[in-house]
Amino acid sequence: LSSDVFPSGFKRATVHPLLKKPSLDPSVLSNFRPIPRLPFLAKTLENCLGHLLFSIYMLLLGQIIQRHDFHYHCYADDTQLYIPLKPSINNFSSIMSCLSDIKCWMSNNFLQLMMPRLRSL
């Protein structure tokens, strides 16, 4: 990780064709799905480091949310914001500002904020 180089031996995989459905014609190549078989160590590294690297990647999103004094919880593919709403305070502008910053960060990182899924409880 410190050298940003992944060993070339771990980049190789044996690809085995698997028929998508038993009823399909095996003489037609498009009826097959390629199944890569990675070396054991490469798969282990993928499983172990994948979660760690994703957490580091998402750390910046957490910092953006905290800058707006909101709390959050990240799941595998979902982030929830916890925003206390008080009748005496107008939170709308601070919520919109936070969402704008999140949307900008996501866009810069090739992600998309799913606006139709935004909801409040």
Side-chain angles (χ1 to χ4, degrees), residues 3-107:
S3 65
D4 294 331
V5 176
F6 196 75
S8 60
F10 295 151
K11 295 179 185 178
R12 293 189 177 95
T14 305
V15 179
H16 294 273
L18 179 68
L19 198 57
K20 293 177 183 177
K21 294 180 184 177
S23 60
L24 295 176
D25 181 4
S27 65
V28 179
L29 288 179
S30 63
N31 289 339
F32 286 89
R33 177 182 299 121
I35 305 296
R37 296 204 177 154
L38 297 171
F40 173 75
L41 186 56
K43 192 64 176 170
T44 303
L45 284 174
E46 176 188 339
N47 289 337
C48 295
L49 293 179
H51 299 293
L52 177 63
L53 294 174
F54 181 76
S55 296
I56 293 169
Y57 180 70
M58 294 303 289
L59 185 65
L60 294 173
L61 177 61
Q63 292 172 347
I64 291 169
I65 296 168
Q66 289 176 334
R67 232 185 334 212
H68 291 274
D69 294 323
F70 297 144
H71 298 282
Y72 67 98
H73 188 89
C74 290
Y75 294 96
D77 64 347
D78 189 41
T79 301
Q80 293 182 355
L81 301 181
Y82 296 99
I83 304 168
L85 299 176
K86 299 177 184 172
S88 60
I89 301 174
N90 182 3
N91 289 69
F92 185 74
S93 62
S94 58
I95 293 170
M96 294 309 294
S97 176
C98 183
L99 288 176
S100 175
D101 288 349
I102 290 171
K103 188 174 182 178
C104 182
W105 178 85
M106 293 182 91
S107 176

